[in-house]
Amino acid sequence: MEDEVKKIIAVVLIVCLALGFSACSKNAETDENKGSSMNEAESAANETLLVAAAASLKICFEDELIPMFEEKYPNIKVDATYDSSGKLQTQIEEGADVDVFMSAAMKQINALDEQELMVKESIVKLLENKVVLIVPKDSDKGITAFEEILKAETVAVGDPDSVPAGQYAKEIFENLGLWDDVSAKLSLGTNVTEVLNWISEGSADAGVVYSTDAASNKNVVIAAEAPEKSVSPVIYPVGIVKSSTKKDSSKLFVEFLKSNEALSVFEKYGFTSLK
């Protein structure tokens, strides 16, 4: 009888020990999974997306679109740099840490794509803009058309070698047969924002910018839109840089820019949606 009692006690102890080990194992596994999830969450929370965008996009990006995206995806922070599309292209070619590039012309993004520096299938023609001639709001030069540009003593345009707005300006004046004469009056800006500021300050008598830029500054007025068929369509493409290590977040940002809510913001600032 005593032996049977000892056997029963032994069995009970073995069962209890087995249950205890199982519980410990499950707790350890649970703690490990929790730790892994927390690490992934912390990693995502610290992820910063680097966006290079044409200078003409700065106001709508900074004032509305980036805050909207970060509110929608609180685990992703967006840092953006703005300059002429040509300068941004060069920076990407030289290995700058950029995840998403949005240009003010197809030329720059096509050049990067030809060098296999872009994710080809991610490139989207997103927006269209207009090229306009602007003058200071108190101008007395009587300039009301591109054809009257020679009334100006100083003409501000972006540098055609690197600034899309400058390339469009040169195209317009060449098609009007005025480029050689205008060249003698030029002040070349490093980006379209600099050109806008020069006109706003009265440092130049007239300048060529995008209609969206002109609409953002109360100290300038639009003298004229580019004559019909004088300039190529002003297309703004966006795409993911192939060297990006944050492809998922980059895709989310590009998809966001294509969304109706984002396009409505672009349209509010004077862009035309191509989607």
Side-chain angles (χ1 to χ4, degrees):
M1 182 71 177
E2 185 177 344
D3 290 340
E4 291 181 359
V5 171
K6 287 181 179 179
K7 287 181 180 179
I8 291 171
I9 292 172
V11 170
V12 171
L13 287 173
I14 290 170
V15 170
C16 288
L17 286 171
L19 290 173
F21 280 125
S22 176
C24 288
S25 176
K26 286 183 178 178
N27 287 337
E29 185 178 344
T30 300
D31 290 341
E32 185 178 346
N33 289 338
K34 284 183 179 178
S36 176
S37 297
M38 288 178 65
N39 289 336
E40 289 175 3
E42 288 174 1
S43 175
N46 293 329
E47 185 155 86
T48 299
L49 197 63
L50 301 172
V51 176
S56 50
L57 294 164
K58 183 174 182 178
I59 295 176
C60 61
F61 264 40
E62 294 293 323
D63 289 357
E64 298 200 45
L65 292 170
I66 289 177
M68 285 168 62
F69 178 80
E70 291 180 337
E71 182 178 358
K72 188 170 185 177
Y73 299 102
N75 60 323
I76 306 173
K77 183 180 184 299
V78 177
D79 278 350
T81 182
Y82 307 94
D83 210 324
S84 71
S85 299
K87 284 188 177 181
L88 296 174
Q89 173 196 338
T90 299
Q91 290 171 16
I92 293 170
E93 289 171 338
E94 293 175 348
D97 187 9
V98 175
D99 298 300
V100 175
F101 177 39
M102 188 162 181
S103 173
M106 291 301 301
K107 176 182 178 180
Q108 288 74 27
I109 214 162
N110 283 342
L112 291 173
D113 186 40
E114 288 171 4
Q115 298 174 69
E116 299 185 350
L117 295 176
M118 300 295 297
V119 178
K120 181 182 287 288
E121 60 271 21
S122 74
I123 298 173
V124 179
K125 295 179 181 179
L126 191 64
L127 305 171
E128 186 171 359
N129 209 341
K130 293 184 183 299
V131 179
V132 297
L133 181 66
I134 60 171
V135 297
K137 67 177 182 180
D138 57 356
S139 173
D140 59 0
K141 297 293 183 181
I143 300 170
T144 61
F146 274 84
E147 292 85 347
E148 297 174 346
I149 191 62
L150 297 181
K151 291 181 179 179
E153 294 179 13
T154 307
V155 180
V157 303
D159 186 343
D161 288 339
S162 61
V163 184
Q167 294 158 9
Y168 293 127
K170 182 179 180 180
E171 181 182 356
I172 292 167
F173 290 128
E174 283 182 336
N175 286 333
L176 294 175
L178 296 171
W179 178 247
D180 289 342
D181 292 328
V182 171
S183 295
K185 299 172 176 280
L186 289 181
S187 288
L188 300 180
T190 58
N191 56 56
V192 72
T193 302
E194 186 172 38
V195 172
L196 178 67
N197 290 337
W198 285 344
I199 306 303
S200 175
E201 297 162 358
S203 301
D205 298 318
V208 179
V209 299
Y210 301 118
S211 62
T212 51
D213 298 303
S216 71
N217 193 308
K218 297 179 180 179
N219 293 319
V220 305
V221 295
I222 295 176
E225 289 189 1
E228 188 176 357
K229 297 182 179 179
S230 67
V231 66
S232 306
V234 182
I235 307 299
Y236 282 59
V238 62
I240 299 171
V241 179
K242 186 174 284 188
S243 62
S244 171
T245 59
K246 305 156 192 169
K247 295 290 198 309
D248 290 342
S249 296
S250 298
K251 185 176 180 180
L252 285 175
F253 187 70
V254 172
E255 289 300 317
F256 166 74
L257 295 180
K258 292 161 55 180
S259 69
N260 289 333
E261 60 179 332
L263 291 175
S264 66
V265 172
F266 282 125
E267 289 170 354
K268 184 172 78 171
Y269 283 83
F271 293 96
T272 300
S273 167
L274 295 178
K275 302 309 293 177

